[in-house]
């Protein structure tokens, strides 16, 4: 088979280690959105039908997300949220847990002002089939026009369609 979730995570860790070795002074080894999002995109595309691979995907993706959350240089961007929602959707069955995790990712994105139509569509996909009536209410709210505060930094942090 192809690369697994842990392989993508290890590649990202090698980039982080290279940056640490030169104490962040080399712009060519500084992690970027591409570092995080490429690894998350790879994980999102993995076949997660095997339980062990699924668990690896969740562990690796949330470790990367945590690393990015605590980055001093990079805020999360639109595609980070989209890839995380795709991973959660693919790895978890419909449940309140899946709903709560997706709402937390949504909350992070909306507070950062990086929600766009792709985030909304990924969120809708996570909740089809429904994860519970409390989540259906949120989906109804986000299906209309989004408040400006949710999308104020979409263009600033998006960088490109793929990253």
């Amino acid at each position: 088979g192809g690369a697994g979730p842990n392989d993508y995570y290890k590649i990202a860790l090698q980039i982080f280690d290279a940056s640490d070795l030169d104490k962040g002074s080399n712009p060519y080894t500084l992690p970027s959105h591409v570092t995080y999002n490429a690894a998350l995109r790879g994980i999102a595309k993995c076949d997660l039908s095997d339980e062990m691979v699924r668990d690896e995907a969740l562990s690796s993706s949330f470790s990367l997300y945590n690393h990015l959350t605590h980055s001093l240089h990079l805020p999360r961007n639109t595609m980070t949220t989209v890839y995380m929602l795709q991973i959660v959707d693919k790895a978890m069955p419909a449940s309140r847990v899946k709903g709560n995790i997706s709402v937390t990712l949504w909350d992070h994105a909306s507070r950062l002002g990086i929600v766009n139509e792709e985030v909304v569509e990924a969120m809708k996909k996570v909740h089809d089939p429904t994860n519970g009536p409390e989540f259906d209410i949120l989906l109804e709210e986000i299906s209309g026009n989004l408040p400006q505060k949710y999308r104020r930094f979409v263009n600033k942090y998006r960088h490109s369609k793929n990253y």
Side-chain angles (χ1 to χ4, degrees), residues 48-120:
L48 303 183
S49 56
D50 178 84
E51 274 187 39
M52 205 152 132
V53 176
R54 182 206 61 213
D55 293 348
E56 204 176 89
L58 288 170
S59 175
S60 296
S61 60
F62 278 98
S63 293
L64 286 168
Y65 188 78
N66 183 54
H67 201 281
L68 183 56
T69 300
H70 294 95
S71 168
L72 300 175
H73 309 288
L74 297 169
R76 288 153 287 181
N77 69 7
T78 297
M79 294 313 296
T80 306
T81 305
V82 169
Y83 296 137
M84 288 299 298
L85 286 168
Q86 288 173 352
I87 293 164
V88 167
D89 185 41
K90 199 171 183 180
M92 301 182 80
S95 64
R96 293 184 82 183
V97 172
K98 181 179 181 179
N100 284 326
I101 291 170
S102 67
V103 167
T104 300
L105 291 167
W106 170 266
D107 184 57
H108 290 177
S110 60
R111 286 176 192 238
L112 289 170
I114 57 171
V115 172
N116 69 0
E117 199 55 42
E118 286 175 281
V119 175
V120 172

Side-chain angles (χ1 to χ4, degrees), residues 127 129-143:
H127 292 277
T130 185
N131 292 299
E134 64 271 36
F135 305 111
D136 296 341
I137 294 168
L138 173 64
L139 286 181
E140 284 178 33
E141 286 177 19
I142 67 173
S143 291

